[in-house]
Amino acid sequence: MSTSRSARHTVPGAADQPEPIKAIPLRHPIRNIVAIILILIVAAFIWDAATNRPTYDWPAVGKYLFDQRVSAAALVTIELTVLAMVGAIVLGTLIAVMRLSPNPVLKGVAWVYLWIFRGTPVYVQLVFWGLLATIYKTISVGVPFTEPWAVWTTQDAISVFWLAVVGLALNEAAYMAEIVRAGILSVDPGQTEASTALGMSWVQSMVRIILPQSMRVIIPPTGNEVISMLKTTSLVTAVPLSTDLYTRTRDISAETFNPIPLLIVASIWYLFFTSIMMTGQFFLERRFARGTRFVDVGPGTPAAETASVPTVSTATPAAHPNKGDGS
Amino acid sequence: MSDSPASARPMVIADRVVKSFGSHTVLKDISLTVNRGEVVCVIGPSGSGKSTFLRCINHLEKLDGGRIIVDDELIGYRERGDKIYELKPKEAAEQRKDIGMVFQRFNLFPHLTVLENIIEAPTQVKRQSKDAATTRALELLARVGLAEKAKAYPASLSGGQQQRVAIARALAMDPKLMLFDEPTSALDPELVGEVLDVMKQLAKDGMTMIVVTHEMGFAREVADSLVFMDGGVVVESGDPREVLAHPQHDRTKAFLSKVL
């Protein structure tokens, strides 16, 4: 087919290529002026913050940034985030699958869960979890209406830290459930059909075929949720847990009567963690983009396509020897 | 399979099959017998129930009436005395693994390479070792002319190549019956031939096949029997050359006059 082009046009050979366009680029004066004004405003703000505003108290920021109490609190915040997210992803996936189940009871329970945990503020929920020991004084294991096998006081059984983890996880699970459900629904139904037709069980096709493909849709909003969770941990003071990053810096500033530098310290730590998470998300997204067009194309090239076709070729290369002379 | 009168027993018996979606009855009364090694082509206007019938054979759709028997096994149900019990999902899956299916839209797994697509079911469902499954998969890929594409992802293949991989994927389960649901309808015209050639070879090798298709040339050349469906019933069936050349029913005549 490569000769068809030269047959249509009178171009004699490939050496004579069409001339590239040499146009004068369009100017954007307004764009440039706006940019300059913005740079000036930002520079003025930074200059002012660095020199004119003693209440920022930059020496104190430097002093407390790596204070041992602060870094220990930062670790607690990370622990809360990771544990709550893991719990939320597991529970959220379960609820998503329940909502997609044909069983009306499972569907209904999942819907009510979503309704309650998405419909009330996380702060209120955390206060409730803090009052768990007041509502349920003991936890007992056994068969109902018989002597329990074991009894604990709620206060001894669950620490404030774990109450905070549970509170955050149960709230987040409602949001994760919707994200996972959207991911599952985004996968072409033909995929379920193909795996079912191959004799795969529902669990096999879910785990091996559907969920890996839904990851492409699930990961970006989940990254958002992780970052959001990191910041939501600052509400655990409602439980009340006081060892997390925000509560700890606030407690320190209550002693020093100097809140602003400690707010900056907490913000720097939150930004640091968020930056790490964004990097992680980038690599995860790349991993689950396998098989999408233009990503990791195998060794076969389009040029090899025609060679691999087993059909009898009807091409007759000698049939048009005069085409080049058509002009 | 090793019984001597094997060839005498039909591979597929569909007996008065009925299927409805809500109040819409798609299959009204379909009866059809396919012998071992036979190729049956099913043609008909869209909406005539051809695909639905195919999907009933491997129980992707539940029957509302009648019965389908594949290789002496009742599909989707178990008979005990005069009662019929629905099969557990696991038992239905067990029946499906012996029935290969090829879809109009290929339905390859896009997150897996060509090779991984083919060995997925043998390793997961049949618990074959990865080495054994890979050896077999490469054999099948060579058979469909795509040996060098083992490591490619489906998105980098042409439609015809994807459909040939889909055929290899179905064959990897060593099915006793292959169902083709309009395998060339989503392909560019110049890619139809390569898929039909693979199917012709498969027919020559003695595979029992039911093919829903619009390729009259393929039906004429390869099919042992041609079935014309319209409005949820089999209007006419018989030798493909005979049906195509001398249709008996007005509906068949009207349909063929449009497609030939």
Side-chain angles (χ1 to χ4, degrees), chain A residues 188-201 204 208-210 212-213 290-302 304-312, chain B residues 55 58 60 93 96-97 99 101 103 107-112 120-121 124-125 127 144-146 148-149 151-153 155-158 161-162 164 169-170 173 193-194 197-198:
Chain A
D188 174 12
Q191 295 288 307
T192 316
E193 228 160 60
S195 46
T196 307
L198 283 166
M200 294 173 79
S201 69
Q204 277 175 332
R208 310 239 351 142
I209 306 299
I210 307 302
Q213 289 182 57
R290 274 176 316 164
T292 44
R293 215 168 260 278
F294 306 124
V295 180
D296 196 1
V297 172
T301 57
E305 268 179 30
T306 42
S308 67
V309 175
T311 51
V312 180
Chain B
R55 295 156 57 82
N58 64 355
L60 281 180
R96 282 190 198 105
K97 74 179 172 49
I99 304 174
M101 188 161 195
F103 300 88
N107 293 349
L108 291 179
F109 306 134
H111 61 304
L112 302 178
E120 179 69 18
Q124 293 297 314
V125 178
R127 300 281 165 206
V144 299
L146 290 170
E148 79 282 16
K149 294 287 185 187
K151 289 201 171 72
Y153 281 96
S156 68
L157 302 182
S158 73
Q161 292 174 329
Q162 289 192 48
R164 285 187 277 151
R169 179 175 71 174
M173 291 297 279
E194 59 187 78
D197 283 353
V198 168

Side-chain angles (χ1 to χ4, degrees), chain B residues 8 24 102 129 177 180 217 229 257 260:
Chain B
H24 178 51
V102 174
S129 75
L177 167 68
F180 291 85
M229 269 176 76
S257 73
L260 284 179

Side-chain angles (χ1 to χ4, degrees), chain A residues 264-299:
Chain A
I264 295 171
V265 165
S267 301
I268 291 172
W269 274 101
Y270 283 121
L271 273 174
F272 170 68
F273 289 138
T274 309
S275 311
I276 291 176
M277 286 164 185
M278 285 166 74
T279 316
Q281 184 180 344
F282 170 79
F283 285 107
L284 263 184
E285 273 178 34
R286 212 171 56 170
R287 160 105 176 108
F288 281 102
R290 274 176 316 164
T292 44
R293 215 168 260 278
F294 306 124
V295 180
D296 196 1
V297 172

Side-chain angles (χ1 to χ4, degrees), chain A:
Chain A
M1 296 306 280
S2 59
T3 53
S4 63
R5 206 171 145 248
S6 51
R8 295 281 297 259
H9 303 280
T10 52
V11 181
D16 187 15
Q17 280 181 354
E19 214 163 289
I21 297 172
K22 289 189 194 112
I24 293 152
L26 188 61
R27 307 276 177 215
H28 300 281
I30 307 237
R31 221 188 267 180
N32 295 341
I33 291 167
V34 170
I36 289 167
I37 292 173
L38 262 178
I39 290 171
L40 288 177
I41 292 173
V42 171
F45 177 81
I46 292 173
W47 177 254
D48 174 72
T51 59
N52 273 344
R53 308 282 162 186
T55 38
Y56 279 127
D57 200 351
W58 296 108
V61 171
K63 180 181 158 206
Y64 286 108
L65 189 57
F66 299 107
D67 186 296
Q68 212 252 313
R69 288 172 294 175
V70 174
S71 47
L75 184 65
V76 171
T77 285
I78 280 294
E79 284 169 356
L80 280 171
T81 308
V82 171
L83 291 170
M85 272 321 287
V86 169
I89 288 169
V90 173
L91 186 59
T93 308
L94 187 71
I95 294 167
V97 171
M98 279 168 72
R99 278 204 77 183
L100 295 171
S101 140
N103 182 332
V105 175
L106 290 185
K107 230 182 204 167
V109 169
W111 188 87
V112 169
Y113 182 96
L114 234 70
W115 180 62
I116 292 175
F117 282 89
R118 209 169 52 165
T120 57
V122 62
Y123 193 88
V124 173
Q125 289 173 29
L126 286 171
V127 175
F128 252 113
W129 284 105
L131 295 171
L132 187 73
T134 316
I135 309 169
Y136 305 97
K137 291 197 167 49
T138 59
I139 298 172
S140 46
V141 175
V143 182
F145 310 114
T146 61
E147 197 64 23
W149 303 330
V151 180
W152 295 274
T153 2
T154 306
Q155 213 142 28
D156 302 336
I158 309 178
S159 70
V160 182
F161 175 82
W162 283 102
L163 282 177
V165 169
V166 169
L168 291 171
L170 264 57
N171 176 260
E172 182 58 32
Y175 294 91
M176 281 310 302
E178 288 298 90
I179 291 171
V180 173
R181 190 170 69 103
I184 291 173
L185 290 179
S186 76
V187 178
D188 174 12
Q191 295 288 307
T192 316
E193 228 160 60
S195 46
T196 307
L198 283 166
M200 294 173 79
S201 69
W202 186 86
V203 174
Q204 277 175 332
S205 71
M206 202 52 155
V207 170
R208 310 239 351 142
I209 306 299
I210 307 302
L211 282 176
Q213 289 182 57
S214 65
M215 281 303 171
R216 265 166 47 72
V217 173
I218 290 174
I219 287 172
T222 303
N224 258 344
E225 292 301 309
V226 175
I227 289 168
S228 166
M229 174 62 80
L230 178 80
K231 297 175 293 176
T232 309
T233 57
S234 62
L235 299 180
V236 292
T237 179
V239 176
L241 178 71
S242 59
T243 52
D244 78 292
L245 184 56
Y246 171 67
T247 317
R248 177 61 61 81
T249 51
R250 201 195 50 192
D251 287 351
I252 294 173
S253 64
E255 288 168 22
T256 60
F257 300 108
N258 194 6
I260 292 165
L262 280 147
L263 280 175
I264 295 171
V265 165
S267 301
I268 291 172
W269 274 101
Y270 283 121
L271 273 174
F272 170 68
F273 289 138
T274 309
S275 311
I276 291 176
M277 286 164 185
M278 285 166 74
T279 316
Q281 184 180 344
F282 170 79
F283 285 107
L284 263 184
E285 273 178 34
R286 212 171 56 170
R287 160 105 176 108
F288 281 102
R290 274 176 316 164
T292 44
R293 215 168 260 278
F294 306 124
V295 180
D296 196 1
V297 172
T301 57
E305 268 179 30
T306 42
S308 67
V309 175
T311 51
V312 180
S313 173
T314 51
T316 46
H320 44 76
N322 296 325
K323 272 215 170 147
D325 305 331
S327 60

